[in-house]
Amino acid sequence: MHDEDRTRRTLTAAELDRLLLGGRQQYTRAQVTQLSGMPPDGFRRLWHALGFAEAAEADAVFTDGDVAALHALADLVDAGFVAPGTEASFARALAQPLARLADWQTALLTAAVARDQHGGPEGPGSPPADVPPAAAALLSLLREVQDHVWRRHLAAAVERAPAAPAGGEERELAVGFADLVGYTTRTRGMSGAELAVMVEDFEATAAEVVARGGGRVVKTVGDGVLFTAADPAAAAEIGLSLPERWGAVDRPPLRVGLAHGRVLTRLGDVYSSVVNLASRLTTVARAGSVLVDRELAARLRQHPGYRIEPLQRRSVRGFDDLQPWLVSRCGADDVPDPPERSG
């Protein structure tokens, strides 16, 4: 019985290779570069950029699907959609979110394989006997949902920046950081399951608040989230709403830093001193508060719904004379702040 189980696991691995990779692993590194027409050094850089470990020279681990993907990338370059020399950057931008998605989906696939091994129900139109039916159904449904969500996000991105060049662009944006205060101390005694619940709740809250406010989540990293918004008031509303929505006795408090200015958007990420400034403002913010830079404070003074208060100047890494401004909502009896004078 033990040998039968081992055989079953081996067969399942082979079935999953066919299902996931689109065919048998049959080519070595030298063969796949020859078939794709890609120079060996270029292939290795691209393969590493995609996040995959280097295969031994004699290992036949590449498939017809790998060859087709390399041909497609070459076609993107030849057609002028991807600039020559930027293939590795393109690959990294594509691979990093997909790798994270794949890590999460592994649990779904493992459950589907277990269902197949225990003789799960097979409905009409089931795949051939040598393909795990539940795993095949799962991949088909995931592919359909992922394709639609990707198209939806692409449409939203085009609406935000309809003339964005392929390599990136500079735009006027508000950039926000939000992080959990005392995250390391608060989570030290948590079990893995408890920590997973808190991280999921934090990411879900951040994603909902930012999306409802008309912003975009750039990335989340454990105890923090980086987001952008084109409209200054929208950025302020997102920043104020995050601690309010997240706040609870059993959760570490949230603090937010916001800055406004010219930002380079490239391959889904954002770069500039504005990003660093928002991060530094977050580090000096108190729990539950929202701090902004001078530029965003000046823009928010044009909106009667916010109170803007200057705080003591601070010296932080990269900024020797940082002027934070505390943002809060005006009450019904508050008098709006006068516009800030220049000079």
Side-chain angles (χ1 to χ4, degrees), residues 17 32 53 55 72 83 95 102 106 128 132 136 160 171 194 202 247 273 293 306 320:
D17 281 346
V32 80
T106 298
R160 288 194 299 267
R171 300 177 59 197
E194 291 171 330
F202 172 63
S273 60
D293 73 327
Y306 302 107
D320 294 332

Side-chain angles (χ1 to χ4, degrees), residues 32-236:
V32 80
T33 56
Q34 182 179 11
L35 289 167
S36 65
M38 183 170 289
D41 287 345
F43 168 73
R44 292 176 68 181
R45 283 196 302 272
L46 188 62
W47 196 248
H48 295 160
L50 287 169
F52 300 124
E54 185 161 350
E57 191 170 345
D59 289 348
V61 297
F62 301 101
T63 69
D64 287 324
D66 293 318
V67 176
L70 292 171
H71 278 303
L73 180 57
D75 290 343
L76 285 170
V77 175
D78 292 342
F81 297 125
V82 174
T86 67
E87 298 93 333
S89 296
F90 175 85
R92 281 193 300 273
L94 184 67
Q96 289 172 6
L98 291 179
R100 183 181 178 188
L101 185 64
D103 283 343
W104 167 68
Q105 291 175 342
T106 298
L108 298 178
L109 185 60
T110 300
V113 171
R115 175 177 168 182
D116 286 321
Q117 289 176 330
H118 290 89
E122 298 183 20
S126 297
D130 65 339
V131 176
L138 170 67
L139 291 178
S140 177
L141 292 171
L142 287 177
R143 187 183 302 113
E144 181 179 349
V145 172
Q146 287 169 189
D147 181 71
H148 180 73
V149 173
W150 164 67
R151 290 175 182 275
R152 265 288 181 181
H153 274 293
L154 189 58
V158 169
E159 186 176 351
R160 288 194 299 267
E169 65 162 340
E170 285 194 1
R171 300 177 59 197
E172 290 276 345
L173 287 175
V175 177
F177 268 103
D179 73 1
L180 301 174
V181 182
Y183 173 83
T184 302
T185 302
R186 184 70 69 94
T187 59
R188 189 171 294 146
M190 284 187 173
S191 66
E194 291 171 330
L195 180 59
V197 169
M198 192 184 77
V199 170
E200 167 62 24
D201 288 346
F202 172 63
E203 293 188 353
T205 300
E208 180 181 351
V209 171
V210 173
R212 286 171 65 93
R216 180 178 77 89
V217 172
V218 177
K219 54 189 170 186
T220 56
V221 185
D223 63 340
V225 59
L226 170 64
F227 63 91
T228 61
D231 180 64

Side-chain angles (χ1 to χ4, degrees), residues 275-294:
V275 181
N276 296 332
L277 180 54
S279 176
R280 298 297 176 263
L281 286 165
T282 306
T283 63
V284 301
R286 292 184 177 180
S289 69
V290 178
L291 299 185
V292 303
D293 73 327
R294 177 179 290 275

